[in-house]
Amino acid sequence: MASELDVVPGIATRREEATGFFQRMVSKGLGWARKNSLWQYPFVTACCGMEYMSVSSARYDIARFGAEVPRFSPRQADMLLVVGTVNCKQAPILQRVYEQMSEPKWVVAFGVCASSGGFYDNYATVQGIDHVIPVDIYIPGCPPRPEQVLDGLMLLQRKVQNQQHKLIDRVPVPTLAK
Amino acid sequence: MAKVVIEALVARFPGDVYDPYEGAGGDDCAFVQKSKIVEVCRFLKTDPAMAFNMAPYITAVDYLGAEPRFEVVYNLLSTAHNHRIRLRVKVPEADLELESVTTVWRGANWFERYCLDMYGISFRNHPDPRRLFMYDEFVGHPLRKDYPLRGRQPLVPEREVKDIFRGPGPVGRD
């Protein structure tokens, strides 16, 4: 005779579903925290820097999006703003700055020169910084209006918010001490 | 105004300074033989009646298809007499080497490096014969007329800078 327990429908707690729910919660919280405190590293090389100054000062006020803190060390920054033309001589420097930033990091190509080389279709200019480093957001314009920059920043915020995080078991960090 | 200078030059270096003319901007110009440029410049610098103590701009021109193909242009200024002249030296493509005038004007150093970088015209006895703007791995000379319009250069890794300290900081610093 089958016991009653055998036919009582139990609550199906599948591990993956539970983990997925937890992951979504963590991702949402982390994304919310990250998107509202994007610390930037301005890699300003050219005239787009004027628009960068405009967008970061009082009238357009990038601080409304939590991105008002320029860090002049790439190790403390989340968002690399490449503002202006990057030439072939500078490209390895940009690459080193990118590599020095700690994860998670995002890159914004500010203006048409950083995005595609712009009208500097010549021997000295890198035709878009995506030849050197990966780019998340391209902001067109020569130079872009501050509204465009803020639009790009909001797109980046949406991207940061929607990023998924995986729960992984922490691997013990190997130490050099013997 | 500087016509007297050119006339004196032609009289002093007959055959080596030739074809004087007045340029579009009012500057007086003349052509100089390639082998005599340092001699002419030293005379212009040291002679008290000339006293050309500045070389504000030295550059080169590529007349692709003409023979000789290149030309090095020396713009000279005398602040004492307020004279301005322009000397042109024809350089054939087969022999792209001139004597450096850095021994006359030290300021010619970077202009000659510019000519080396952009046109590939080299200068004998130059104290620092490196490229001025482009990096060493750059192929070709970008201001030559036959440089490809959309020529792309390979990206190079960052070179080591010897005087930047990149090791761990001193004790006590973060």
Side-chain angles (χ1 to χ4, degrees):
Chain A
M1 179 185 156
S3 94
E4 220 171 81
L5 280 173
D6 286 343
V7 290
V8 167
I11 302 169
T13 52
R14 285 195 292 274
R15 179 180 155 79
E16 294 77 29
E17 276 187 7
T19 326
F21 173 75
F22 190 57
Q23 276 182 0
R24 274 197 294 279
M25 291 295 287
V26 170
S27 291
K28 219 172 162 183
L30 269 181
W32 173 82
R34 280 175 178 165
K35 80 167 187 184
N36 287 313
S37 67
L38 283 169
W39 288 11
Q40 36 163 320
Y41 180 87
F43 190 90
V44 181
T45 53
C47 39
C48 277
M50 291 296 156
E51 288 302 321
Y52 168 72
M53 290 170 212
S54 170
V55 79
S56 58
S57 53
R59 184 173 288 269
Y60 292 97
D61 198 13
I62 205 170
R64 290 179 291 156
F65 303 90
E68 78 275 24
V69 197
R71 292 279 119 183
F72 296 107
S73 163
R75 292 153 210 273
Q76 301 169 349
D78 305 310
M79 174 174 61
L80 177 61
L81 274 174
V82 184
V83 184
T85 323
V86 174
N87 57 38
C88 297
K89 224 171 166 180
Q90 272 175 327
I93 301 168
L94 176 66
Q95 197 171 8
R96 177 178 280 269
V97 166
Y98 176 75
E99 284 164 1
Q100 282 182 348
M101 291 170 66
S102 52
E103 296 278 354
K105 52 191 173 187
W106 297 276
V107 179
V108 175
F110 187 118
V112 77
C113 287
S115 302
S116 69
F119 59 72
Y120 296 107
D121 188 4
N122 60 17
Y123 58 89
T125 309
V126 177
Q127 301 299 304
I129 58 167
D130 45 10
H131 287 267
V132 188
I133 55 175
V135 180
D136 292 291
I137 298 289
Y138 298 88
I139 301 173
C142 182
R145 291 278 309 163
E147 292 91 338
Q148 268 173 291
V149 181
L150 295 178
D151 188 35
L153 187 68
M154 284 155 74
L155 282 172
L156 181 65
Q157 280 187 327
R158 199 180 304 159
K159 180 171 183 174
V160 173
Q161 173 72 75
N162 292 336
Q163 272 182 345
Q164 291 297 321
H165 300 269
K166 270 194 176 163
L167 300 178
I168 53 169
D169 291 329
R170 180 172 289 172
V171 181
V173 180
T175 53
L176 293 174
K178 287 181 181 165
Chain B
M1 192 165 63
K3 203 159 282 192
V4 286
V5 177
I6 292 289
E7 280 164 6
L9 267 185
V10 173
R12 191 183 154 107
F13 298 96
D16 295 332
V17 180
Y18 57 100
D19 288 355
Y21 70 100
E22 186 176 326
D27 287 355
D28 287 286
C29 315
F31 290 88
V32 182
Q33 289 290 351
K34 184 162 164 270
S35 53
K36 295 288 179 186
I37 182 65
V38 175
E39 203 178 317
V40 172
C41 287
R42 192 174 298 284
F43 167 73
L44 285 169
K45 169 89 181 287
T46 50
D47 192 81
M50 303 293 178
F52 279 87
N53 51 358
M54 272 181 80
Y57 198 57
I58 298 170
T59 185
V61 190
D62 180 6
Y63 296 103
L64 183 63
E67 191 57 44
R69 179 175 164 188
F70 292 99
E71 218 170 74
V72 179
V73 184
Y74 296 79
N75 292 287
L76 307 179
L77 170 67
S78 161
T79 53
H81 305 300
N82 198 16
H83 284 166
R84 228 176 242 282
I85 61 167
R86 187 182 308 145
L87 301 179
R88 297 167 65 175
V89 179
K90 292 191 169 180
V91 184
E93 196 175 1
D95 184 20
L96 286 172
E97 200 174 51
L98 277 85
E99 192 67 31
S100 167
V101 295
T102 45
T103 48
V104 184
W105 298 285
R106 275 172 64 189
N109 188 324
W110 279 20
F111 292 127
E112 291 182 350
R113 281 177 63 188
Y114 171 83
C115 293
L116 172 68
D117 190 357
M118 294 291 161
Y119 296 93
I121 298 170
S122 58
F123 291 85
R124 268 193 302 276
N125 300 328
H126 191 279
D128 185 19
R130 289 180 296 144
R131 307 191 82 137
L132 182 61
F133 295 136
M134 311 318 293
Y135 40 97
D136 291 339
E137 292 86 352
F138 194 90
V139 184
H141 303 283
L143 289 196
R144 284 190 177 185
K145 294 281 187 239
D146 55 359
Y147 185 84
L149 197 59
R150 300 198 145 186
R152 296 278 176 264
Q153 295 287 333
L155 293 177
V156 292
E158 188 185 11
R159 65 188 64 241
E160 279 301 315
V161 183
K162 288 198 181 62
D163 51 354
I164 291 181
F165 181 71
R166 284 204 170 118
V171 181
R173 204 181 68 180
D174 51 356

